[in-house]
Amino acid sequence: EVQLVESGGGSVQSGGSLRLSCTASGFTVDDADMGWYRQAPGSKCEVASVIRSGGSTYYTDSVKGRFTLSRDNAKNTVYLQMNSLKPEDTAMYYCAADSWVPPMGWAVPSRYNYWGQGTQVTVSS
């Protein structure tokens, strides 16, 4: 059974940092395309960052230079290091995974079949 468990969310002040973790079971993270998505109240779910099975990473423009996605194969976990956080980063963050996502679909939530329960990130000004 595929399972994704996120952790690491919390409340920080603007400019602060958090590291989110997504631990997978039922598959190996280096054999899957995985992404971090976020959804603020009243807003659509949007991609923050994706790592493909081959190791390539992608970031949406609003987080480039501030967020770093990495993978620890030994722990079967992916991480999202978030620095210089802004109030607009406030959202529920979800980990998503699938065995393969088309290159042009990396930012499309419906391309991922497996999702975690989410972890809340709140950034105050």
Side-chain angles (χ1 to χ4, degrees):
E1 179 186 4
V2 171
Q3 198 169 22
L4 300 170
V5 179
E6 302 104 328
S7 61
S11 296
V12 297
Q13 290 192 325
S14 183
S17 298
L18 285 172
R19 188 178 77 158
L20 306 184
S21 301
C22 173
T23 300
S25 57
F27 70 98
T28 56
V29 297
D30 61 346
D31 198 31
D33 294 338
M34 299 187 68
W36 282 98
Y37 280 77
R38 61 187 184 180
Q39 186 167 25
S43 299
K44 66 177 182 179
C45 186
E46 64 172 10
V47 69
S49 181
V50 166
I51 184 166
R52 300 190 62 94
S53 58
S56 299
T57 53
Y58 303 90
Y59 300 91
T60 196
D61 286 345
S62 62
V63 309
K64 282 180 181 177
R66 301 189 297 122
F67 290 12
T68 303
L69 196 157
S70 61
R71 187 171 66 193
D72 186 330
N73 297 337
K75 296 183 178 179
N76 215 36
T77 298
V78 294
Y79 301 97
L80 186 68
Q81 178 66 44
M82 305 186 297
N83 298 328
S84 301
L85 282 162
K86 305 175 180 180
E88 50 264 44
D89 294 316
T90 294
M92 184 72 79
Y93 282 70
Y94 298 93
C95 179
D98 209 295
S99 57
W100 181 77
V101 176
M104 297 303 293
W106 66 273
V108 181
S110 60
R111 292 291 188 174
Y112 297 81
N113 280 315
Y114 303 103
W115 292 80
Q117 81 288 352
T119 185
Q120 178 68 38
V121 171
T122 303
V123 185
S124 58
S125 57

